[in-house]
Amino acid sequence: MREKLFLMCILFLSVWKGHAQQTEITGTVVDAQSSSPLAGVTIRFEGAASDASTSTDESGRFRLMVSEAAGKVKFTLVGYVTNQVEYNGTALSTVVLTKENTSLDEIIVVGYGTVKKRDLTGSVVSVKGEEIAKVPSANIIESIQGKVPGVDITRSNGSASSGVSMTVRGNRSITAQNGPLFIVDGVQYSNIQDINPNDIESMEILKDASSTAIYGSRGANGVVIVSTKRGKAGRARIDVNSYAGVSKVDRYPSVMNIDQWVKLRREAYRATGRWSSEADDKNAFNDAELEAIRNNDYIDYFDLLVKDGMQQNYQVSINAGNDKTTVYFSGDYLNERGIFDMDMTNRFGGRLNIDQKLGDFFKAGMQSQVTRYEIDKRRDPLNQANKINPLGRVYDDAGDLIMYPLSGSAISPLADMEPNAYKAEGNITRTLTNAYVELTNWKGFSGRSTLGVTFTNTRDGSYAGSYTIDRNGSFSKATYDAENSYLINMENVLSYQKEIEDHSFTITAVNSFLWNRSDNINASGEELLLDGQLFYALGNAGRNLATNTMYSMNNLVSFAGRLNYAYKGKYLLTATGRTDGSSILAQGRKWAFFPSVAAAWRIVDEDFMTNQNTFSELKLRASYGKAGNYAVDPYSTQNTLTRVAFAWDDEQATGYTFSPRIGNYGLGWEITATTNVGVDFGFLQNRFNASIDLYDSRTTDLLLERGLPPTTGVTSVIQNVGKTRNRGIEIALNANVIQGKAFKWNSALSFTSNKEEIIELVTKDDDIGNGWFIGQPTVVFYDYDKVGIWQLGEEEEAAKWGQEPGDIRVRDINKDGKIDASADRIILGTPRPNWLAGWDNTFTYKGFDLNVYVFARWGQMVRPDFLRRYDPQGLGQSTAAIDYWTPENPTNAYPRPNSGSSLSSMLYTSTLGHVNGSFIRVRNLSLGYTFDNSILKSGLVRSLRIYGTARNPFTWTKAKELKEYDPERGGSENFPMTKLFVFGLNIGF
C-alpha cells in the first residue's frame, strides 16, 4: 500500500512539474503615436530550446505559452520597426511598436525578389493599392494615368468594353508591339483588366534596363509587376467595397441644326449659280425635303441614340489566418452599361490566395483567379447619324420605324435597335492559377519554384439582319468565332545572401520556361433562314458559308543571373545577365544575351554628410543595359499559302498562292540599349522627396515590316532593319505640405518629357509611303501646309494655281511656282506629346478626405474625324463647328460649299483638321468621410467610409476647335468618351 502511495505521489509531482514549466505570456501591442491597438502583430518567443509564436487579436492582445523561464520575444508587423523584448519571467503589459519613420525602408517588389527602397539602383516606381483604388475604373491601368513618370496611358473610346493603351518611355518599335510586360504574383499575365483594384497590394513599374534586364526579351518595353493581397494572421476580416453611378457623354461634337443645314445646302447651290434666293429652293431641294423643311421635320439622332450609362462594382474579400496558414479570398462583380443600347459589359471575378508554412524553412501556396466576361457589343450608330440627311420623320403614322427616311438610300441609324435585327455578343472565361514552393531562409539560401497556367476561352458571335446599318438592305450575315488558348509559365529562382563585415552579397539565379498555345475556329454565312436564330444556326445560311481553323504555338526558354552587392550600405552595385531563346525567330538567331549593370551611391550616408541638416536622403544612380524584343507574329520566318479561286477546263478547282507577306529565314532579335542616370533626394526627414531620371534608349535591328515591289508577287516582309531612339527626363515629387494633428495635405507631382525619333530606315532615307522620317517620331502628320483660303481680290493670283476664291490655299515649299506631292509636303506635327504631367493632392481633416487629381498632356497634334466631317455638297450632315467660306464670310478655315464637288474631289482637303491637341483635365475629384473607431462601438463594424467621386469632370483644351472633343483619344469619333459620377461605400467587419 505504501509503495502504491509513493508511486502516485511521484506521478503527481511529475505532472505538476510539467505544468509548472509551462508559462503564459500575455500583453497588449499598441501604436507608439496613437496608442491604438495593433492587430495581426506576429509574436515569436526565441528561447534556448523552444520556439513558439502567436499573433495579436483585434484588440491588440496576445497570449503565448512557453516552456522556458527566459528568452527573447520578437514583435513584427509590416510597416513597423521590429521590437525585441527580453523576457525573464516578468509579465509583459504593453508593448509599443513604432512606424518606420522613413519611406526608404519600404519594400519594393523587383524582378524575382524584393529590395528596400533605399537600396534601389534602378528606376522603379511603386504605387500602392489604395492609390489605384482612388479612381473608379474598369481597368486598373487607367487609374494610374499621369501618376507614374515615363508612362503614357490613353483610352481610345468610351464604349463599355474599350481597352487602354500603355507605353513606357516612348515607342521603340514600328511594327512590333510596344506594350510592357505584366507580371501578376510572379507569372506573366497580359490581361491586366481582369484584376479588381481592391485586390491589389502594390504595383511596381520597372523602367530602366537594369530593372527590366532580369526579364530579358520580355522586359524591353518596361515591366509592370502586380502583387495581390495576401492573408494575414489574426481574426478574420471581411471587407465590402462597392460603388455605383452614372456616366455621361463628355465633349462630343454637335452636328448642324436644321437652319444651319439648310443654309449649307443653299450655299452649295449658290456656288454653282443655281440658287440666289429662297425662290430657288426648288433647285436645291427635292419635294420631300421641301415638305420636311416646311414642317420642321428635323431628326436629332443624338438625342434618340444617346442616354446616360451606368457603372457599378461590388467586391467582398475575406482575410484570415494563423501563424501557419493565411488565406485571402475575394469575389467581385462589375457592370458597365454604355451610352448606347446593346453596349454592356458584365465582369464576374473570384480570387483565392493561400499561403502555408511547412516547418521552419519552407512554405507553399497558390494564387488563383477566375474571370468571366459577358459582353454585348454594337457598332457606333453615330457614325451613320452624323453623316446622313437629317430631314424626315423617325416613325410612320402606325408607329413603325421608317427604315429609309425621305425614301433616301441611307438606312436609319436606329435600324439596329429593331427586334432581332442586330446582335453582337462576346464571352470570355479566363483562369489564372499558379502554385509555388518556397525555401524561406536556410543558411542564407532562399528559393522559389512557381508554375503558373492561364487558360482562356473566348466566343464571339454577331448577326446583322438585312435592314441594319452594316447590311443596308443586302443579305443578312452572321459570324461565329471561338478560341481556346493556354499560357504555361514555369519560374525557378534560387538566391544566396551573405554578409561579411561591411560587405553584403545577394546572388540570384533564374530559370524560366514559357509555353504559349492557341487554336480557333471562325465561321460565317449570309442569307440566314430566320432572324431569331441570330448566329446560332450558321448551317442554315443560304450563301457564302465558310469555315476556317487556325493554330499557333511559341515557346521561350531563359536563364538569368543577378548579383547585388553593397559596401557599408552606401555603395551599391547590381549586375544582371540573361539569355533568351525564342521559337518565333529564325534558326541560328533564336538566342540572345542581355546584360546590364547599375550602381548607386548613398551620398547621405557619408561621414561628411553627418552634421548637415539639409538632406535627409541623397542618392545618385546610374545604369546601362540591353533588352530584346521578339513581339511579332509566330511563323513570321516562314512562307505561307493562301487559297484562291481557280478554275481548270471550266471546272472549279482548288488553287493556292503565297501570302502577301513572305517569311524571313534570317529574322532575329530587336535590341534596345538604355542608359539611365538618376538622383533621389529628400528634405526635412523626407517630408519632401523627389527623384529625377535622365535616360537614353537606342533600339537597333528593328523588327520592321518592309514593303516590297509589286513585281515580286508579294507585298512585304519583316526584317531586322532600322534604328530608333527615345530620350527624356522624368521627375517625381512628393511633399507632405501640412502635417497637423487634424489637417494634413499631401501633394505629388509627376512630369515626363520624351523625345522619340527614327534614326535609320531600310534605305537610310525617309520612307514617305509609310510616313516614316529620319529624325522624327514613329508617327507624324505629313501633308501640305495650309495657309488659308483664297479670298476675293486674289482671283488673279489664285488662277495661276488653277484655283479661285473659296478654295484651299497651301504653301509652295520650294517656291518653284507649282504644288506637287513630292516637294511641297512637310511634317506638320506628331501625336506624341512634348510632355505630360499629373498633380495629385490629398487633403484630410479629421474624418474627411478630399482628393483632387489633375492630368495634363501637352504639345501633341491631333486630327479629329469631326473636323473633317464636312459635306460641301450639303447632301449629308456636317459638324456645326465647320466655319466655311462664303463671299460674306471670308474665313480661312474651310473651303466654299459646292454642289458639284465632294470633299474628296476638292484640292488639298487632307490639310483640314490638324489642330493642337494639348489639354488639362481634372482626372479625379473625390470627397469621403471615414467614421471614427469610437463611433463604431458595436465591435461588428471595424471600419466604415463613404465617398463620392467624379472621374473626368472638367477638361480644358488649348485649341478652341476642341471645346466639344476629348483629345485624349487622338482623333477617333467612335463611341463618345464619358465622365463618371459615383457614390461608394467601404466597410470592414
Side-chain angles (χ1 to χ4, degrees), residues 182-190 218 367 432-435 450-454 487 489-491:
F182 291 98
I183 301 294
V184 178
D185 292 329
V187 297
Q188 182 172 326
Y189 191 69
S190 58
R218 295 186 292 161
Q367 296 87 43
L432 167 64
T433 300
N434 74 74
T450 305
L451 178 64
V453 183
T454 303
L487 173 67
N489 191 178
M490 178 181 289
E491 305 278 359

Side-chain angles (χ1 to χ4, degrees), residues 698-882:
R698 300 171 185 251
T699 303
T700 59
D701 293 329
L702 290 179
L703 291 167
L704 189 68
E705 186 167 6
R706 176 185 178 184
L708 298 176
T711 53
T712 62
V714 291
T715 60
S716 65
V717 62
I718 294 181
Q719 289 183 323
N720 293 105
V721 289
K723 301 176 182 178
T724 60
R725 183 183 185 186
N726 281 272
R727 49 189 161 151
I729 182 172
E730 302 167 353
I731 302 174
L733 307 174
N734 186 280
N736 293 312
V737 183
I738 298 176
Q739 283 188 311
K741 289 186 177 180
F743 181 71
K744 294 180 176 63
W745 172 21
N746 177 266
S747 185
L749 176 69
S750 69
F751 174 86
T752 301
S753 179
N754 178 75
K755 183 178 181 181
E756 171 189 315
E757 58 181 321
I758 298 173
I759 302 300
E760 184 181 291
L761 290 167
V762 177
T763 61
K764 311 300 188 290
D765 294 320
D766 296 337
D767 186 338
I768 297 177
N770 284 305
W772 300 330
F773 299 88
I774 306 296
Q776 298 293 330
T778 57
V779 178
V780 296
F781 296 108
Y782 178 71
D783 210 335
Y784 301 102
D785 184 19
K786 175 177 172 285
V787 296
I789 304 294
W790 289 104
Q791 302 294 330
L792 294 175
E794 298 177 337
E795 290 87 349
E796 185 176 346
E797 180 67 17
K800 295 178 181 179
W801 306 89
Q803 296 182 273
E804 59 185 28
D807 291 342
I808 296 175
R809 183 177 183 176
V810 298
R811 187 155 59 99
D812 180 12
I813 301 296
N814 63 353
K815 301 187 184 305
D816 63 352
K818 61 181 180 179
I819 303 296
D820 61 70
S822 61
D824 293 310
R825 289 187 294 169
I826 61 172
I827 295 171
L828 302 175
T830 174
R832 311 299 189 219
N834 291 336
W835 57 267
L836 50 91
W839 187 26
D840 193 15
N841 292 276
T842 301
F843 308 88
T844 58
Y845 177 72
K846 295 184 177 179
F848 291 95
D849 62 89
L850 172 67
N851 179 257
V852 182
Y853 175 40
V854 181
F855 172 68
R857 185 181 171 92
W858 208 261
Q860 78 270 22
M861 176 178 280
V862 296
R863 190 173 182 243
D865 292 343
F866 84 94
L867 289 178
R868 291 180 45 78
R869 194 175 0 108
Y870 171 45
D871 185 355
Q873 295 176 291
L875 299 176
Q877 186 57 284
S878 297
T879 304
I882 299 297

Side-chain angles (χ1 to χ4, degrees), residues 408-430:
S409 60
I411 198 167
S412 170
L414 282 74
D416 290 356
M417 298 167 61
E418 292 293 283
N420 292 328
Y422 182 89
K423 180 72 171 179
E425 182 183 273
N427 293 330
I428 304 172
T429 302
R430 208 157 20 237

Side-chain angles (χ1 to χ4, degrees), residues 39-44 53-56 74-77 233 323 357:
V41 179
T42 299
I43 300 104
R44 182 176 294 277
S53 63
T54 187
S55 59
T56 57
K74 184 181 290 187
F75 298 82
T76 58
L77 180 64
D323 60 327
K357 290 184 178 179

Side-chain angles (χ1 to χ4, degrees), residues 245-318:
V246 297
S247 57
K248 296 178 176 291
V249 170
D250 184 32
R251 305 172 67 88
Y252 190 78
S254 55
V255 295
M256 291 182 172
N257 59 35
I258 188 170
D259 294 331
Q260 293 169 324
W261 185 84
V262 169
K263 181 181 178 181
L264 175 61
R265 173 74 73 87
R266 287 168 174 169
E267 288 292 343
Y269 277 78
R270 177 188 176 192
T272 55
R274 291 184 288 171
W275 188 94
S276 59
S277 68
E278 292 185 16
D280 296 323
D281 276 353
K282 61 182 181 299
N283 296 329
F285 305 95
N286 60 37
D287 293 340
E289 290 172 334
L290 288 172
E291 182 179 0
I293 294 170
R294 286 192 296 268
N295 296 331
N296 200 33
D297 287 339
Y298 171 82
I299 305 175
D300 188 340
Y301 286 110
F302 185 88
D303 282 349
L304 293 170
L305 291 166
V306 175
K307 60 182 182 180
D308 289 345
M310 180 192 68
Q311 188 176 120
Q312 54 184 328
N313 181 245
Y314 306 95
Q315 193 238 19
V316 178
S317 65
I318 301 174

Side-chain angles (χ1 to χ4, degrees), residues 61-110:
R61 292 189 293 268
F62 67 91
R63 178 176 177 269
L64 183 65
M65 300 299 296
V66 299
S67 59
E68 296 181 57
K72 296 179 180 179
V73 184
K74 184 181 290 187
F75 298 82
T76 58
L77 180 64
V78 175
Y80 286 80
V81 177
T82 299
N83 191 1
Q84 186 167 278
V85 178
E86 293 288 342
Y87 174 72
N88 54 11
T90 305
L92 301 178
S93 55
T94 301
V95 178
V96 177
L97 290 187
T98 304
K99 286 186 177 179
E100 294 174 338
N101 59 4
T102 172
S103 61
L104 298 179
D105 290 323
E106 176 186 343
I107 300 299
I108 305 296
V109 179
V110 295

Side-chain angles (χ1 to χ4, degrees), residues 227-248:
S227 302
T228 60
K229 293 179 179 178
R230 325 295 301 175
K232 296 179 181 179
R235 291 179 58 186
R237 295 187 176 196
I238 302 174
D239 290 283
V240 178
N241 303 288
S242 67
Y243 68 80
V246 297
S247 57
K248 296 178 176 291

